[in-house]
Amino acid sequence: MRNKMLALILACSASQAIAGFDVVALGVRGGVEEGNLTSYLIRSDDQKLYLGLDAGSVLPGISKALGKGAFPQVTAENAAPYTPQGAVFRNLIGGYFISHGHLDHLAGLIISSPEDSHKPIYGTADTIGTLRQHYFNGKVWPNFTDAGSGLRIGTYRLNAPRPAQRFSIGLTGLDGVIYPLSHGGTPSSMILVSRNNESFAFFGDTGPDQVEKSKNLETVWRVLGDEAKAKRLKGIIIETSYPDGVPDSKLFGHLTPEWLLKELKVFETASGGAGSLKGVTVIISHVKPSLKAGADPEAEIMQQLEKGNDLGVKFVRMQQGDALSL
Ligand SMILES: [Zn+2]
Ligand SMILES: [Zn+2]
């Protein structure tokens, strides 16, 4: 008995020491085909609830992830009266962060809203305004929020925390800070989540500063540079929409491998110079599928990133339903 207790205590303190984040990919593409659009879940591994990071495809992603064993804590028995898919959706997602108002980042949220439980949605004032005026407006869809026009059903509590200011994310135990990004004329954003002196960054769609004529990424790299220096940063999710060769004039606020590598160089400098990003996980998101026979943009993008990877970062491409512990 005593040994068992001791083992338990040791196990607890060990898990605290290696605490980190659980990430599940619900959707990993940047458009064209519905069913696998940008959406990830993240939670602190000492907490129950996940935060949704965008919500392009939600329920199809949960199905896929259940099939891959990403939610071992959910069984048909303990999900009742819901299906396991319903239980993850309603009881394990504690809120959503929406990076910007484009459909490929929130279509799943809209379509599944009639079956959702009460939860908060976070975004910039621009994103929250878009959700209120153009989606949950009683015209294209009933108003499932607590604000705006028409009958307010009130499933979602809309929150627009000020940029660069820390807030606590509902019952997820995570703190968040939102920073603006430039996305070809559409305001987009990044969220830095943190807990237990560890942090993780999720980027909405973004173009390179040079093309966007912006300093938004420069600002974000400075913030993340401090996180990396303090050895807090566990990883980032960032887009690479197209393989190399797409001219800047046709990027429409997105990144290619060449541009991401250039931006990561700025990040490396802000983190203390050469070698300072070694081992940092960079999850590549929002790849745009091609309908051309024989084209494989995903493989191309990952090859191009690896080829230019003199930073020593760990480029990861999660597939829909994959889970990763960081
Ligand atoms: Zn997008
Ligand atoms: Zn977009």
Side-chain angles (χ1 to χ4, degrees), residues 51-52 93-98 109 116-123 128 146 155-159 168-172:
L51 171 70
I93 302 178
Y96 291 98
F97 163 72
I98 304 296
L109 172 76
D116 210 350
S117 56
H118 286 268
K119 54 193 70 165
I121 297 177
Y122 303 90
I128 294 299
D146 61 351
T155 304
Y156 300 118
R157 202 170 67 245
L158 297 179
N159 297 278
S168 56
I169 304 176
L171 302 172
T172 65

Side-chain angles (χ1 to χ4, degrees), residues 100-105 183 186 188 205 252-254 286 288:
H100 64 299
H102 282 161
L103 262 177
D104 55 322
H105 299 257
H183 174 37
T186 300
S188 177
D205 295 353
F252 305 112
H254 292 294
H286 203 267
K288 296 242 187 213

Side-chain angles (χ1 to χ4, degrees), residues 29-171:
R29 292 186 180 156
V32 184
E33 190 182 47
E34 71 273 23
N36 190 1
L37 301 171
T38 305
S39 180
Y40 295 83
L41 300 181
I42 188 165
R43 72 171 179 183
S44 171
D45 61 8
D46 64 353
Q47 296 289 305
K48 176 186 167 194
L49 295 182
Y50 292 89
L51 171 70
L53 301 168
D54 280 341
S57 299
V58 179
L59 287 171
I62 293 173
S63 286
K64 211 51 180 271
L66 279 163
K68 290 186 175 180
F71 303 108
Q73 69 273 46
V74 180
T75 63
E77 290 73 45
N78 69 24
Y82 294 98
T83 60
Q85 184 194 35
V88 171
F89 175 62
R90 293 178 56 95
N91 304 335
L92 288 189
I93 302 178
Y96 291 98
F97 163 72
I98 304 296
S99 66
H100 64 299
H102 282 161
L103 262 177
D104 55 322
H105 299 257
L106 49 76
L109 172 76
I110 311 283
I111 287 295
S112 59
S113 54
E115 292 296 321
D116 210 350
S117 56
H118 286 268
K119 54 193 70 165
I121 297 177
Y122 303 90
T124 61
D126 182 83
T127 304
I128 294 299
T130 300
L131 273 172
R132 220 177 38 220
Q133 287 160 34
H134 302 292
Y135 295 108
F136 290 119
N137 60 8
K139 278 189 177 174
V140 305
W141 204 248
N143 183 359
F144 281 94
T145 78
D146 61 351
S149 52
L151 174 72
R152 297 170 189 172
I153 298 167
T155 304
Y156 300 118
R157 202 170 67 245
L158 297 179
N159 297 278
R162 282 179 197 207
Q165 281 192 18
R166 183 178 288 261
F167 59 98
S168 56
I169 304 176
L171 302 172

